[in-house]
Every structure is written in C-alpha cells, then in structure tokens.
Amino acid sequence: MTRYALLVRGINVGGKNKIVMTQLRQELTGLGLENVETYINSGNIFFTSTAPKAQLVEKLEVFFEVHYPFIQSFSLLSQEDYEEELNNLPDWWTKDLARKDVLFYTEGLDVAQVIETVESLELVDEVLHFGKLGIFWGKLSEASYSKTAYHKRLLKMPFYRQITIRNAKTFDKISQFLKHKEGDN
C-alpha cells in the first residue's frame, strides 16, 4: 500500500473552477482510492492505493476529463519520492527567507525543457534548486520581490499553466499528510 499526494492545479481560485472537497473525496473513494483526505480547498488530496503509479495517473486523467474537464494538470507524488526530496533539499530551504515556493512538475510535463528555460533566467535576490519533484524557489527579500525573475517572468512562461505551485508551509503540510495513516490522530 503506497501513500500519495495528488496536487491539482487551478481549482477554487478566485471563485473559478469550484470543487466541493467532500464530494471529491467521495468520488475518489468510489474510484477505489483508500483513506482519501484533503488539505485546504486548493487541490491537496491524499490517499493510499496498491495500484502502480502509471495506472493511477491514467485513471485520474480519465476521471478529471469526465467529471472536472477544467483540471488539465496535476502532480501525483508517492510518499517515498517526497521523503527522498526532503532529504536532498539545499540548506537555504530551511532558512527564513522572504518567500519560498515549490513549482511541482505535473504529469506529462517536459521537465527538461522547463529546467532549461528556468536556468536561462537572470535571478535577482532569489535562489533555485531543481529537485526530482519540482523547482524549489526562494526569494531573499520582500523589498526586491517585484524585481525577481519569479515575479516578473514566471507568469509569462509557456509552462506556467502546466505546473502547480505550493508555498513552503503547504509543502511541509503535504509531508505531514503523507505520513498520516488511517487511525492516526
């Protein structure tokens, strides 16, 4: 039995693409996923399954296409991969920076192209780490945030609509939910 985090892009944002989490949990349970939980209303879903990841991705793609066609990008992360990522984070990730975000790679994304594009950016008061699951992006100063490549360039990148972003606090919460098993308090 493997524990997964399913991170969905662009739901319940600004009154658009509304999904009721209780209904989504029921629907995913109906797909055969077990111990389905959600965290906040922005597409952080956790479950356990014995199915291989590739089979789950296919099943979720079909499910979203039929029931929620506005969901076109998602990340499916196993607990094992997440913990491996945690063990390989740079020292700066644990420091108190102005802002920290993770740009999670989604299923089917051309990761090499995304990395090449981001590597070409001129950074201003920001640091990057290219992880297995996404790009970890730290902004060093709130005063210079509006000058950073993250702020000025990211939204204009062709891949932007195919990634899903979580802040450092949510990244830590995801880890907690992945470790949670049914019956835990």
Side-chain angles (χ1 to χ4, degrees):
M1 194 66 94
T2 302
R3 186 85 172 147
Y4 289 95
L6 170 62
L7 308 180
V8 178
R9 185 191 192 291
I11 64 167
N12 297 333
V13 178
K16 294 183 179 179
N17 301 334
K18 288 190 162 225
I19 294 181
V20 177
M21 291 295 119
T22 53
Q23 180 180 333
L24 181 60
R25 284 194 302 270
Q26 290 172 345
E27 291 169 336
L28 292 173
T29 299
L31 278 180
L33 308 181
E34 297 178 33
N35 306 320
V36 180
E37 299 177 282
T38 55
Y39 169 66
I40 59 179
N41 235 17
S42 59
N44 304 296
I45 304 139
F46 307 91
F47 63 88
T48 54
S49 178
T50 56
K53 181 179 175 182
Q55 184 180 344
L56 289 170
V57 167
E58 191 174 306
K59 184 185 280 195
L60 289 165
E61 286 174 342
V62 169
F63 170 77
F64 289 136
E65 186 178 319
V66 170
H67 298 280
Y68 302 100
F70 52 84
I71 296 177
Q72 298 182 356
S73 297
F74 65 86
S75 299
L76 184 61
L77 317 168
S78 72
Q79 179 180 358
E80 182 181 332
D81 287 343
Y82 210 83
E83 288 176 0
E84 182 181 330
E85 189 80 284
L86 283 170
N87 292 330
N88 292 306
L89 290 175
D91 289 339
W92 63 259
W93 184 256
T94 61
K95 306 287 188 244
D96 190 22
L97 304 184
R99 297 182 189 201
K100 295 183 284 189
D101 292 298
V102 184
L103 285 63
F104 284 101
Y105 308 132
T106 54
E107 300 303 319
L109 182 68
D110 184 344
V111 173
Q113 181 200 20
V114 169
I115 290 172
E116 182 181 328
T117 302
V118 172
E119 282 179 326
S120 73
L121 298 175
E122 183 179 332
L123 302 181
V124 177
D125 289 336
E126 54 200 319
V127 289
L128 293 176
H129 168 71
F130 296 99
K132 180 179 178 178
L133 304 178
I135 301 170
F136 293 75
W137 208 315
K139 284 68 78 178
L140 304 177
S141 165
E142 195 64 43
S144 65
Y145 175 70
S146 65
K147 295 179 175 103
T148 61
Y150 185 91
H151 178 78
K152 290 178 79 171
R153 304 281 312 281
L154 183 61
L155 293 171
K156 298 172 189 162
M157 295 287 156
F159 64 81
Y160 179 74
R161 300 192 64 69
Q162 295 175 295
I163 56 171
T164 188
I165 301 172
R166 301 297 188 272
N167 64 29
K169 180 182 174 188
T170 301
F171 179 80
D172 291 342
K173 265 305 200 196
I174 290 168
S175 181
Q176 292 173 24
F177 272 89
L178 281 169
K179 291 175 184 171
H180 178 260
K181 302 283 191 255
E182 186 179 43
D184 287 354
N185 292 322

